[in-house]
Amino acid sequence: QALELQRPIDKRVYKGTQPTCHDFQQFTAGAETLALLVGFSAGQVQYLDLAKKDSAGRLFNEERLIDKSKVTLVKWLPDTERLFLASHASGHLYLYDSEQPCGATSPQYTLVTQGEGFRVFSCKSKTPRNPLLKWAVGSGPLNEFAFSPDGRSLACVSQDGVLRVFHFSSMLLQGMMRSYFGGLLCVCWSPDGRYVVTGGEDDLVTVWSFAEGRVVARGHGHKSWVNAVAFDPFTPPPPPPPDGQGDGQGDTPEDPPSVTYRFGSAGQDTQFCLWDLTEDVLDPRPPPPRARPAAAAPGDPPPSVPGLPRSLSRSNSLPQPGGGPQISPRVPPVLSAGRFATLTLRDPRGIPEKEHKRYHSLGNISRGGGSAEKAPPGGGPGGSRGSLDMGKVLGTALCPRLHEVPLLEPLVCKKIAQERLTVLLFLEDCIVTACQEGLICTWARPG
């Protein structure tokens, strides 16, 4: 209730270490138990039961013998009572049993399996102890992970700019994708588990098809790193076509394509963006043949076009030099703005774009051409790291060039904070965001 917002249910003050992430146990939550995991900047994980007021909780990795780096995310395994995962800035992911101890010595490990950019170890011990498993994923910090809706697959994004999707129980790699530049910071699944969306230091959101193992689209609307992405599970399903009209012919501006998915993104540029994934992007017809400019070197981004802002074009498709056809002619220029009457759509004549001084933005990178060699201030990988070196993967299915996939524009793009946005959540009656300033805000849905 609104009157109770001033009095927290529970309040704890920590000294010497800061809470960095948390997760409630939704599977067992009730009047008798409300289990909460809290991860910390020094590597520990605390278990609390807020329904039991006198509970002091349990501390995992208390002596930091398992991992000394910051906990980047903690998550209960779907539909389980005791198991949870904790990822760290070391690039390691640990499986814990909340009922087992951690042991008084550093754990010893045995290699279970390994593959492209990952290794999985089990803990050698005569008696049960944590961690049960240890995953070494990519290079650099493991920034976020997310379970698929059916709980079978695990998507991980790392500072090396790679999305890796694993079949969780068999620990086998199911698919990979690399960012255009820099690390990937956030990841989420579509409600039906068919698509994965990532955001990161290339200022882009990327839509990856789990079934097809390919990048479906990229979205450009942010001017700095994308910190959070989330699907809207309450988007109504598209209506069936009227009789006689579902002939598969092209959509016209008067008959826009039906919205299949909707997701949001929040960034360090303090902007919230809302994106629509429509059928024409997800199931494209073959694009018309187009002439390739001979002057461009392999891997170069499209040259700048006179009259466009320094960052990428605000239109859905980038015009090609020499007046050639657009990248994605199947994305209609008219978006269905009817249901968004309460939110202003993006206006190119509005506030002038301000460059984010502390962070690279794609506009700066595009002019240099050699984006893979420029590491972001966050400590991203350089141009020569492992088999996923940008020089080898750019233009392949792992990382198609910018002009090789449809470039989406956000339906809504709004500055909603004074400090960088860190959390995004879709609820049935509102949208929740949180920012670095410490403000948690609820927003009315557009329309």
Side-chain angles (χ1 to χ4, degrees), residues 75 120 126 131 146 173 267 302 308 339:
K75 270 276 188 291
V120 185
K126 293 179 181 177
L173 189 65
L308 293 180
R339 71 182 79 177

Side-chain angles (χ1 to χ4, degrees), residues 121-205:
F121 304 87
S122 64
C123 190
K124 286 196 295 187
S125 179
K126 293 179 181 177
T127 57
R129 63 164 285 179
N130 283 312
L132 308 181
L133 288 174
K134 168 185 171 180
W135 303 51
V137 181
S139 55
L142 179 55
N143 290 323
E144 197 169 286
F145 60 87
F147 280 98
S148 59
D150 62 9
R152 295 178 181 175
S153 297
L154 181 72
C156 301
V157 289
S158 303
Q159 193 61 37
D160 60 5
V162 180
L163 160 74
R164 294 175 177 87
V165 180
F166 299 95
H167 185 265
F168 186 71
S169 60
S170 68
M171 297 173 282
L172 295 176
L173 189 65
Q174 292 179 294
M176 297 169 67
M177 183 274 295
R178 196 196 191 288
S179 70
Y180 183 69
F181 168 77
L184 290 174
L185 304 178
C186 50
V187 62
C188 67
W189 290 80
S190 63
D192 58 6
R194 294 180 62 188
Y195 298 95
V196 177
V197 165
T198 66
E201 295 176 359
D202 55 7
D203 304 2
L204 300 171
V205 293

Side-chain angles (χ1 to χ4, degrees), residues 223-243:
K223 301 187 191 71
S224 188
W225 299 355
V226 181
N227 274 350
V229 285
F231 271 88
D232 180 359
F234 306 102
T235 299
D243 290 339

